[in-house]
Amino acid sequence: MGQALREIHQVYDDKLDGMRGELETFYNLKIQEFRTGATRQNMESVHAKEESKRLRTQLTDLRDKLTDLDARNAALLRELETLRREKEERERELESENNEFKTEVAKLRAEMEAILRELQAIMDSKLGLELEIAAYRKLLEGEENRDGLRQIVDTIATGQQQRSQAAMSYSYQSSSMSSSSAAAAAGGSAGGSVAYGAGGGFGAGGAYGSGADSSMRVNQVTKGEMSAKTTYQRSAKGPVSIAECSADGKFITLENTGRKEEPLGNWSLTRNVDGKDVANYKFNDSFVIRPGDKIKLWAKGQKPYSASHLDVETDQSLGVGANVITKLVNPSGEDRATHVQKTTYA
């Protein structure tokens, strides 16, 4: 019995020692974990304190910068207000100058219009005088043909005895159509006065039409009249045509009615006046006329300062006469466009 009690006691002691060892091991591990956690917390606390210190320093710097930026912003606002006042003042000055310029431009435009009207009147008078000179030339040619100047004047004197007035208008149509313009020119001596008014202009669709009747009035000295009839005809074998030939021989207008560029390199523009070849202008190798463009070829010394940059001044005179044939010829010698002016006297 005692032996059994000793064995039971020994068993319980062994179990108690085992449990005590396990508890010591468990608590040692827990203490070690707590120590490690405490060390980590201390390090994190130190890091948090350093970070807090850094953030405080950064916050102080930012507050200082904010103060500087506020001061700079206030200065910029004051400068902006000053610039705004200067801008408003400058705008008022510019508006005042603009009004002055507009007034001056209106005045200059009125002067220019007056000068242009005067110039137009002079050009019209010049054209009328040229027509009268052509009429006298026909009279002199009749004298050379032994008809006699007196006989022609007597024949003319049997006509109407009132002042003559005829309308001259231009109307260009297709290659098979021609339009005529009638202009009245008076006979008589050199003492007659001439007044001529033009109203021609460009119409839509590439046609050249008259916006108002152009008329020429000639005061007669002798009892009679002489009329001059001028017809114009043009034709083209392509998109490039001769749109206009000025009656005073100052310029010729070429027009491209197509939809692409037309090269005219080495092409020639010939002009025959009263049976004599007076001009033969050859285009350079790189000459091109763009679609829809109108280019004027000016006679030598006739190109004005206000002409388009596309215009060309030739080195030849284009001539003036009663019967004028103008042709655009390609390098192969083919006539690609023609403009014919014929004047008859009766």
Side-chain angles (χ1 to χ4, degrees):
M1 187 70 172
Q3 182 67 28
L5 290 172
R6 284 192 296 271
E7 289 177 358
I8 294 171
H9 188 268
Q10 183 66 35
V11 170
Y12 278 107
D13 288 341
D14 293 339
K15 287 184 178 181
L16 183 62
D17 292 337
M19 292 176 64
R20 185 182 291 110
E22 290 177 358
L23 289 174
E24 288 180 356
T25 303
F26 175 76
Y27 283 114
N28 288 332
L29 290 175
K30 288 297 182 179
I31 291 171
Q32 185 66 30
E33 289 178 0
F34 288 150
R35 288 175 180 176
T36 304
T39 303
R40 187 185 306 113
Q41 289 179 357
N42 290 333
M43 293 178 62
E44 291 178 355
S45 177
V46 171
H47 179 72
K49 289 180 179 179
E50 292 178 353
E51 184 69 17
S52 177
K53 183 178 180 180
R54 186 182 65 81
L55 291 175
R56 287 194 187 95
T57 304
Q58 187 175 0
L59 180 60
T60 302
D61 295 339
L62 290 176
R63 285 177 178 173
D64 295 338
K65 288 182 180 180
L66 179 61
T67 304
D68 296 338
L69 291 175
D70 288 338
R72 185 176 179 184
N73 185 38
L76 290 175
L77 289 175
R78 290 193 297 270
E79 185 177 356
L80 177 62
E81 185 65 25
T82 303
L83 292 175
R84 184 180 289 110
R85 288 195 297 268
E86 292 179 356
K87 173 179 172 293
E88 293 175 355
E89 183 178 357
R90 184 59 178 167
E91 285 180 349
R92 288 193 295 270
E93 293 177 357
L94 290 176
E95 186 177 359
S96 177
E97 292 178 0
N98 188 27
N99 293 332
E100 293 178 359
F101 286 148
K102 286 182 179 179
T103 304
E104 186 175 358
V105 167
K107 186 185 299 182
L108 292 175
R109 184 178 289 111
E111 294 178 359
M112 183 183 68
E113 291 176 356
I115 294 173
L116 288 176
R117 286 194 297 270
E118 184 178 357
L119 179 61
Q120 185 65 38
I122 293 173
M123 294 299 297
D124 295 341
S125 299
K126 178 178 179 293
L127 182 58
L129 290 173
E130 289 175 352
L131 292 175
E132 187 179 8
I133 291 171
Y136 290 148
R137 184 182 292 114
K138 289 297 180 181
L139 292 177
L140 294 176
E141 289 176 357
E143 184 180 8
E144 291 176 357
N145 292 333
R146 297 182 180 179
D147 291 335
L149 178 61
R150 183 178 297 278
Q151 181 181 357
I152 294 176
V153 173
D154 292 339
T155 302
I156 294 174
T158 59
Q160 297 179 356
Q161 297 182 2
Q162 298 179 353
R163 179 178 299 176
S164 65
Q165 178 179 359
M168 177 182 294
S169 63
Y170 294 88
S171 178
Y172 284 100
Q173 301 175 355
S174 61
S175 59
S176 62
M177 302 293 294
S178 64
S179 60
S180 62
S181 61
S189 66
S193 62
V194 179
Y196 179 81
F202 286 100
Y208 178 70
S210 60
D213 290 338
S214 302
S215 61
M216 180 178 66
R217 297 189 300 274
V218 180
N219 292 334
Q220 292 179 315
V221 176
T222 61
K223 294 181 179 180
E225 68 173 6
M226 182 176 181
S227 63
K229 182 180 181 181
T230 304
T231 60
Y232 297 86
Q233 181 179 359
R234 73 172 184 175
S235 62
K237 297 179 181 179
V240 180
S241 62
I242 302 175
E244 180 187 5
C245 293
S246 65
D248 54 3
K250 285 189 175 183
F251 64 85
I252 298 172
T253 303
L254 300 181
E255 180 182 10
N256 182 7
T257 58
R259 296 184 178 180
K260 62 179 183 178
E261 293 184 348
E262 294 293 335
L264 300 184
N266 294 322
W267 287 40
S268 300
L269 188 71
T270 63
R271 191 168 169 89
N272 183 287
V273 179
D274 294 333
K276 297 180 181 180
D277 295 332
V278 298
N280 187 356
Y281 177 74
K282 187 175 182 180
F283 297 95
N284 56 40
D285 297 338
S286 61
F287 190 86
V288 175
I289 180 170
R290 295 179 298 183
D293 279 354
K294 292 182 179 180
I295 298 178
K296 287 185 178 181
L297 302 177
W298 292 88
K300 182 179 181 181
Q302 298 296 329
K303 183 178 179 181
Y305 291 105
S306 60
S308 171
H309 67 283
L310 299 175
D311 294 353
V312 178
E313 182 176 3
T314 67
D315 56 353
Q316 304 173 19
S317 173
L318 300 180
V320 178
N323 300 311
V324 183
I325 301 176
T326 307
K327 295 181 179 181
L328 183 63
V329 184
N330 64 12
S332 300
E334 300 177 355
D335 297 344
R336 302 301 299 173
T338 306
H339 184 284
V340 179
Q341 169 190 332
K342 292 183 180 180
T343 304
T344 56
Y345 300 90

